[in-house]
Amino acid sequence: MGFVLRWKCSWSLVATVASIVAIVSNACISINESTKGGKDNVLNLDARFPADLHRAVVYRGAPWKSEIGRWLSGCNPITTTIKVVENIGGKSCKRDCSGQGICNYDIGEGCSEKLHLDCNYPGSKDQPYGHRVVSICPAYCDTTRAMCFCGEGTKYPNRPVAEDCGFIMNLPSGPDGPKLSDWTKADLDNIFTTNGSRPGWCNVDPAEAYALKCTCINQCSGHGHCRGGFCQCDNGWYGIDCSIPSVLSSIREWPQWLRPAQISVPDSALHVGNLVNLNAVLEKKRPLVYVYDLPPEFGSHLLEGRHFKFECVNRIYDDRNATLWTDQLYGSQMAFYESILASPHRTLNGEEADFFFVPVLDACIITRADDAPHLSMEKHKGLRSSLTLEFYKRAYDHIVEQYPFWNRSSGRDHIWSFSWDEGACYAPKEIWNSMMLVHWGNTNSKHNHSTTAYWADNWDNISSERRGNHPCFDPDKDLVLPAWKRPDVNSLSLKLWARPLEKRKTLFLLQWKSRTGL
């Protein structure tokens, strides 16, 4: 029974990690070697391994069709350990980011502009608080993160104010009708009341008023403060989850994926006040995955200021910092992101990397497009599909302009994640050479056009100049990962393990029913 209790990970997460290992653990040929096989920058399997009449090859006893076998060739590098030089950043940031940001010690650029994120849309005569998003802030708006709080002068100034708080509630029109908020009339006495007999929020003590902690990626790795979904990293740490150390951090606190390491300290480090990079030499096995540290708009800003704590994420935390799993269908994107950030296959050395993961969190765009005032939908005519495509295109522009890695393979060694039901339909044409991680993998003929029943996700009206003419899923290069499902420790009963090992030959059995019934 002890084994069952200790196994608390999600079957979806297990399948996710196993699936990505199926890509990267077996596809670790360097680009120089892979280009020898043909004009399309892929290894010629037929030349390396004999193929039968069905174009299948056998490698280590496993038959693979040639078109997918390209990913499963070159497995030898994973059996040997190599030495990898990890560069630990030491570039200082101008005026320590002016006190309004997290210093990236690898780039060294400071923060020059302060972000302003309103809680409400602009008001009008008829709608003085702006039109409704999910909630409208009648109290104090923290414009650094678009979150509404009780504010100074209240007993709980840092208590979030969300949903219907602070507005007049109209009585039901019928016996079974719902109460409706009047978003044009504030009821500030209600929200700021000190009368314990009334359902106030900012000054009274409702039981378990806000027992759940905010959720950040990997809870800031123990090197930062979770600020409403955004990691405010401690001095010397950076990255979306504060997992990347700099020369200012303690080597004893480095994450496991950077240990053990031999540190090479340059002579110039002895000069007082002069920060320099450090080289840490580690022994690792391929494949090596480089995770881009994208600007906050692609991750932190989407996680910060969420109106509902279950949006985007696969788990939240209670007051004891214990994990509470969610039923968020698209939570596997976050689960995979957290896992790869802490994986022993992660590297900071892009020159040694076999694969590059681009973390655009479209699982958050799905839920936040309609509730975040700083996400402008006006030019997209309300289409979340168009907004999402723009996010991916901006991420592509950023990595092409700021990093040298895309051009070495035209993006073929890059990995992107798409959570939408129809897959990577909204991918901009510029990134289609890359590998897409999707949930459904539908390749039927209907995917020549959008089949979603929700108008805001329809992509038929996205021009070919932006999207190109690609499918939603390409089995030659893309991979299906299961959607998120809440972990159930009872699924691993002792009965399941009662059979002898030689009879347990099935690693995974994934089943789902199409929403269209096909």
Side-chain angles (χ1 to χ4, degrees), residues 196-211:
S197 64
R198 295 189 61 188
W201 180 247
C202 292
N203 292 307
V204 297
D205 302 311
E208 303 295 329
Y210 201 67

Side-chain angles (χ1 to χ4, degrees), residues 382-397:
L383 293 176
R384 301 190 304 185
S385 53
S386 177
L387 174 70
T388 303
L389 186 149
E390 180 184 85
F391 260 78
Y392 281 88
K393 176 60 165 60
R394 291 208 306 263
Y396 161 79
D397 291 338

